[in-house]
Amino acid sequence: MSEIQPLLASGQPDFRRPLAKPRKRPVLTRDDYPESDGKPVGETRLHVLVTFRLFGALLLAHKGRDDVIVGCDQLMYYEQDNIKKFLVPDIFVVLGVKPRPDAERQTWRIWEEGGYGPDFVLEVTSKSTRKHDEGRKHRIYERLGVREYWQYDPTADYLKPELKGHRLGPGGRFEPVALERRGELLLAPSLLGFELHLQDGELRFFDPHRGYLHGHEEEAEARQMAEQAQQAAEQAQREADEARRVAEARVAELERQLRSQ
């Protein structure tokens, strides 16, 4: 008889596998785990800006929820008492976490979080990170039970189209995600409840109920543009009212002149 698998919140069987028991090592405290690997967030300024834009959108979308963690460029340790066993996802989301002070999560230690990896990972990839994103990270994310693993190549260094995804399938193995085409738009649903949209090489998150997700800076920019548009519309209305007043006065003057003749 096959083993009965527990169910995820979505009702799907949970095929994720806990990590193997680590070898005995000196017991480390929370402060023993470095919080940085000393490497930049992205290969280029574009990669950094793209990473922060997408991170900001996810962060704002989950604002106010203490059962969701949205992380960016954070060291993720996956073997207890071994500071060499870590990854640094560009962006990750973990659902159903227990509320804890932020100070306790300066690094992500999966044995303190139920023994599994994140639910969602997005790597803003490039030619220089291809080997790790396609190889080591892919294997370890699969091993950790990451439910969705996405790669976005904003400069199309090697991915065509620029977006590629995998989902954890039966047996705990990654399976490719098929992108749906709608005209110039490529899209795929995500377990986070929204869609990933790729158009003209740009990746955005689309919520069917709220539209495209924006970060704080994008929202501030959108508000500023809306205010400027409103001010321009009000100015145009004032100018139209003044032009109408001048025209009406001119017509009245002409009528007066005609009556006086």
Side-chain angles (χ1 to χ4, degrees):
M1 180 179 296
S2 61
E3 181 181 356
I4 301 298
Q5 295 289 346
L7 295 180
L8 298 167
S10 62
Q12 297 297 319
D14 186 353
F15 292 103
R16 300 176 299 177
R17 296 164 293 168
L19 296 178
K21 188 175 181 180
R23 292 176 293 174
K24 290 186 177 180
R25 298 178 181 275
V27 177
L28 303 180
T29 67
R30 183 173 290 125
D31 294 335
D32 291 326
Y33 294 92
E35 297 178 5
S36 172
D37 62 353
K39 297 180 180 179
V41 175
E43 178 184 13
T44 67
R45 185 172 184 270
L46 173 62
H47 287 79
V48 173
L49 292 175
V50 166
T51 299
F52 286 158
R53 175 177 62 81
L54 296 171
F55 168 62
L58 290 178
L59 193 64
L60 192 58
H62 296 90
K63 182 180 179 181
R65 293 190 57 175
D66 61 3
D67 63 336
V68 177
I69 292 294
V70 181
C72 177
D73 195 47
Q74 187 175 11
L75 268 67
M76 180 175 294
Y77 292 95
Y78 55 88
E79 186 174 301
Q80 190 171 359
D81 299 325
N82 189 345
I83 62 173
K84 295 182 179 180
K85 298 294 185 179
F86 69 87
L87 295 171
V88 189
D90 288 334
I91 300 171
F92 68 92
V93 180
V94 189
L95 306 175
V97 298
K98 295 180 179 179
R100 289 170 53 190
D102 290 342
E104 295 185 9
R105 284 190 167 122
Q106 295 301 308
T107 61
W108 190 266
R109 299 168 296 279
I110 69 165
W111 56 90
E112 296 179 0
E113 309 289 349
Y116 297 113
D119 294 279
F120 175 99
V121 169
L122 171 65
E123 296 288 355
V124 182
T125 189
S126 65
K127 189 161 50 179
S128 68
T129 63
R130 175 179 183 173
K131 181 178 179 181
H132 291 292
D133 296 338
E134 298 263 293
R136 178 174 176 265
K137 282 187 173 181
H138 184 283
R139 293 191 299 272
I140 296 178
Y141 287 147
E142 183 181 70
R143 176 188 170 197
L144 296 180
V146 172
R147 294 169 62 194
E148 279 190 7
Y149 174 40
W150 295 92
Q151 293 164 256
Y152 172 47
D153 180 5
T155 54
D157 276 350
Y158 70 94
L159 286 184
K160 294 178 177 57
E162 294 90 341
L163 180 66
K164 181 167 74 171
H166 287 85
R167 290 198 184 97
L168 204 66
R173 298 296 181 186
F174 276 147
E175 297 179 350
V177 176
L179 301 180
E180 177 185 348
R181 179 174 291 279
R182 296 180 187 171
E184 297 299 318
L185 175 67
L186 290 174
L187 63 92
S190 168
L191 64 85
L192 298 181
F194 53 76
E195 297 173 342
L196 282 77
H197 283 194
L198 180 71
Q199 188 166 12
D200 297 327
E202 181 181 7
L203 176 63
R204 301 178 71 187
F205 301 129
F206 179 79
D207 187 318
H209 305 291
R210 292 179 288 177
Y212 283 107
L213 304 183
H214 299 288
H216 289 287
E217 291 185 1
E218 288 179 306
E219 285 208 337
E221 182 179 351
R223 283 195 299 270
Q224 183 180 11
M225 292 178 64
E227 291 172 358
Q228 291 173 349
Q230 179 65 26
Q231 291 170 2
E234 292 173 353
Q235 178 63 27
Q237 185 62 52
R238 287 193 294 268
E239 292 174 355
D241 291 343
E242 178 62 18
R244 185 170 55 253
R245 185 190 66 77
V246 171
E248 290 173 349
R250 178 59 177 162
V251 169
E253 175 62 20
L254 291 174
E255 290 177 345
R256 186 190 64 79
Q257 293 176 3
L258 288 173
R259 286 195 299 269
S260 65
Q261 291 178 357

